[in-house]
Amino acid sequence: MARPRLRCLSSETAEGADAEAATDLLLQMDSSDRRLRAAGRAMRDHARYCERNRLPVDRPVIARLTEAIENARTRIAQERVLLAGHGTSDRPELLSSGELVLRFALATYGYVRDALEWCVPACAQSHAVQFFDPVVQRTPVPAHARYGEASVREVERQTADLLGLPGTHTISATSSGQAAYTLVEAVLLRERLRPGDLVLTASTLHHEAADQLTALPFIRTLQVAGHTVDDLLAAVVRYQPRCLFLAPLGSTARQHIVDVGALLRRLTNVATQITVVIDGTTMSGALPGEVFSQSRGVEVIYYESASTYLQLGLDTAMAGIVAHPVALQGAFARQRAATSTVLYRHGADLFPRYTSEIHRRRMLRVGRNAEHVATALAENAAVSELGVVCHPSLPGHPDAHLARRLPHAGGCVTFWFHDPGRNRRADLDGVCACVLANARALGVQLTAGVGFGFSVPRLCVLPAGVGPTDDTPCYLRLSVGDRGDQLHLLVDAVASAVTDPVARVLAG
């Protein structure tokens, strides 16, 4: 089989992309080191406060926690030296090793804080210590963890900057992406929806959210058949819904795109009062900040799983975010506390701290890599003869014109066979096993499992519909990752498995 080549990804481009990834990883290590140093200072402040006020201090515990901080900082320093002086041949392994050290540092920070902090700290005491931060001793009523605290607010400020939110909107951090949806639903049911109201859903909306909406017994839900702006506007004109739920990029095999900006601009001409809820998980950071600007009769609420792209592939904790109008801040705060969907301190402590520029650069690498892999596979005649390679950037995709106007079109490439009989789970699981065998032979980094947004490529089989059985049509999804210099080998591994599942690609 002829080896498909990435015509648009030169070795210099791959080299530059991986060097950029290494630089961003070093910046994150520096950020984590600063947080560890701050945790050490906070421990010393805690111990001094307790001694001055004749409160018990367990010095052996303080010593062990201090030792844990210093061990993590030492490991960061060692890895920094390796990563800063990396070569090209071992860069993928060094990047993965660096991510592991970064995860370790974040986990150490969370562990140290967990050892001394309380979910509901005391503001006064006698011969007992139930607080970590002395600041709460000057607070009449310390905050309950369900209301969020300093680490949570840091994540919210970071995400607001990343999304480019205007002053009309603010962020509420949640314990997962599904919790973000649950919080949105809880607020809408109390503040916007009334019995008998109609909710429209776009076909791009993730099925878990659509299933939750459909299960509500006192509102009507209807999925719009098409995904174009004209399709959605026609449905709004016809049904006059109270809410419209959509995702800019569908998480199904065909990966359709909704032109959110054009939709919001034109909605003001056909809707008198509508709340548009956007799930941006699959296209993190791709929407311009102006989509949140208030328009006459159109209210925008945005949510995203922060366990995928927003954690830079580190997968350290479950998290989610909701961007909502400031006017609804009280309602979101009440419902987040009442439903316990808040991002708790431990999850916020594990969340990586980074600038919006680091996230933007990473998403551009991810989107570019997915486009390159999709192009190489689609241009391989043997692969295209057997099945469909799908990514919104490909010329044959119905939404390619929209993808060209976006910073990136997502990091996943999907594939299914023309022959429906080969799209059963057992058959595609066999293809996955073959791809992994090829990757091992070629020395290519690859993992298998659900989820996306990781730095290392990940492959999985997903059902084309809800409620999978052995006979349900399925498809392959490859989350391509942000590595650059192994993409041609990854393409080889996939193409060989698709075209000849018995054969193996020979290393070299």
Side-chain angles (χ1 to χ4, degrees):
M1 180 191 71
R3 172 177 287 186
R5 289 297 183 187
L6 299 177
R7 298 179 305 168
C8 47
L9 185 64
S10 65
S11 59
E12 292 80 8
T13 301
E15 172 82 13
D18 283 349
E20 182 182 83
T23 298
D24 289 347
L25 189 53
L26 289 170
L27 291 172
Q28 293 169 66
M29 287 181 176
D30 292 343
S31 171
S32 184
D33 185 67
R34 288 193 296 270
R35 293 171 71 192
L36 286 167
R37 277 187 292 156
R41 290 193 298 270
M43 272 200 308
R44 292 190 291 274
D45 291 344
H46 170 82
R48 284 195 292 265
Y49 182 92
C50 291
E51 289 173 342
R52 285 198 305 268
N53 291 276
R54 299 181 180 181
L55 296 172
V57 178
D58 192 322
R59 278 297 175 183
V61 167
I62 296 293
R64 288 295 180 88
L65 295 176
T66 301
E67 182 183 8
I69 289 175
E70 292 309 313
N71 286 341
R73 293 192 63 202
T74 298
R75 190 67 191 89
I76 287 176
Q78 293 169 340
E79 197 66 21
R80 268 193 117 276
V81 171
L82 293 173
L83 197 57
H86 58 67
T88 57
S89 60
D90 56 353
R91 180 176 289 129
E93 289 74 17
L94 282 173
L95 288 171
S96 293
S97 176
E99 285 191 344
L100 178 61
V101 170
L102 182 58
R103 284 169 50 86
F104 167 66
L106 293 171
T108 300
Y109 178 78
Y111 151 68
V112 168
R113 294 249 294 162
D114 283 347
L116 297 176
E117 188 60 278
W118 293 72
C119 292
V120 188
C123 59
Q125 54 278 311
S126 172
H127 298 284
V129 174
Q130 293 185 354
F131 70 93
F132 173 46
D133 187 352
V135 169
V136 303
Q137 302 306 296
R138 301 189 293 272
T139 305
V141 182
H144 192 291
R146 286 190 294 122
Y147 294 93
E149 52 90 66
S151 288
V152 179
R153 291 191 289 274
E154 286 179 15
V155 173
E156 291 171 342
R157 286 192 293 269
Q158 174 176 301
T159 311
D161 181 56
L162 183 153
L163 293 176
L165 291 187
T168 57
H169 280 66
T170 188
I171 294 286
S172 293
T174 66
S175 56
S176 70
Q178 196 61 23
Y181 163 80
T182 299
L183 177 59
V184 171
E185 180 189 279
V187 171
L188 290 179
L189 289 176
R190 289 160 178 80
E191 304 292 334
R192 294 293 181 264
L193 292 170
R194 297 293 177 263
D197 278 349
L198 177 69
V199 174
L200 288 180
T201 63
S203 59
T204 56
L205 186 67
H206 195 276
H207 70 85
E208 289 181 345
D211 290 346
Q212 290 294 97
L213 285 167
T214 304
L216 295 173
F218 43 84
I219 64 170
R220 298 173 294 151
T221 59
L222 178 67
Q223 185 184 80
V224 181
H227 70 282
T228 68
V229 170
D230 287 340
D231 294 330
L232 294 170
L233 288 175
V236 169
V237 170
R238 179 177 179 182
Y239 297 106
Q240 292 297 305
R242 186 60 189 82
C243 295
L244 169 63
F245 279 71
L246 59 89
L249 174 62
S251 57
T252 59
R254 299 187 183 278
Q255 300 194 73
H256 286 305
I257 292 179
V258 174
D259 189 343
V260 176
L263 174 66
L264 294 177
R265 287 192 297 271
R266 294 174 61 185
L267 268 177
T268 58
N269 299 321
V270 299
T272 56
Q273 188 179 33
I274 187 170
T275 298
V276 180
V277 182
I278 303 168
D279 177 0
T281 302
T282 53
M283 199 177 279
S284 182
L287 296 182
E290 51 262 30
V291 302
F292 298 98
S293 300
Q294 298 282 40
S295 301
R296 179 179 54 83
V298 180
E299 177 181 64
V300 175
I301 297 175
Y302 175 98
Y303 70 95
E304 182 176 339
S305 169
S307 307
T308 51
Y309 293 122
L310 287 182
Q311 284 192 41
L312 308 182
L314 295 175
D315 197 38
T316 55
M318 301 294 288
I321 58 102
V322 182
H324 52 80
V326 173
L328 287 173
Q329 188 167 7
F332 272 91
R334 288 191 299 272
Q335 291 309 311
R336 188 174 68 167
T339 57
S340 282
T341 51
V342 67
L343 176 62
Y344 286 99
R345 183 195 68 250
H346 180 72
D349 284 345
L350 293 179
F351 204 90
R353 301 296 193 266
Y354 54 86
T355 64
S356 58
E357 185 63 21
I358 286 178
H359 180 270
R360 187 192 71 83
R361 287 197 298 261
R362 185 174 189 275
M363 289 309 304
L364 291 177
R365 293 194 301 271
V366 167
R368 186 169 57 239
N369 287 353
E371 179 179 353
H372 294 331
V373 169
T375 299
L377 289 171
E379 290 182 350
N380 182 282
V383 173
S384 296
E385 182 180 354
L386 290 172
V388 178
V389 179
C390 183
H391 186 264
S393 65
L394 293 177
H397 194 282
D399 304 320
H401 63 292
L402 299 177
R404 285 193 294 270
R405 301 205 297 262
L406 294 167
H408 63 86
C412 294
V413 177
T414 54
F415 175 84
W416 61 95
F417 288 103
H418 295 309
D419 178 5
R422 298 190 62 183
N423 292 324
R424 292 172 299 190
R425 177 170 290 277
D427 295 89
L428 294 181
D429 280 341
V431 175
C432 277
C434 184
V435 174
L436 281 167
N438 293 342
R440 294 185 188 105
L442 290 166
V444 178
Q445 289 189 326
L446 178 67
T447 63
V450 297
F452 58 91
F454 307 98
S455 297
V456 170
R458 179 173 288 207
L459 184 65
C460 68
V461 177
L462 294 175
V466 181
T469 66
D470 290 340
D471 296 325
T472 300
C474 296
Y475 64 97
L476 291 173
R477 183 180 72 189
L478 176 64
S479 175
V480 179
D482 77 338
R483 305 290 191 256
D485 62 357
Q486 288 192 334
L487 291 184
H488 65 286
L489 297 176
L490 178 63
V491 170
D492 288 348
V494 174
S496 179
V498 167
T499 57
D500 189 356
V502 178
R504 294 291 186 265
V505 175
L506 297 178

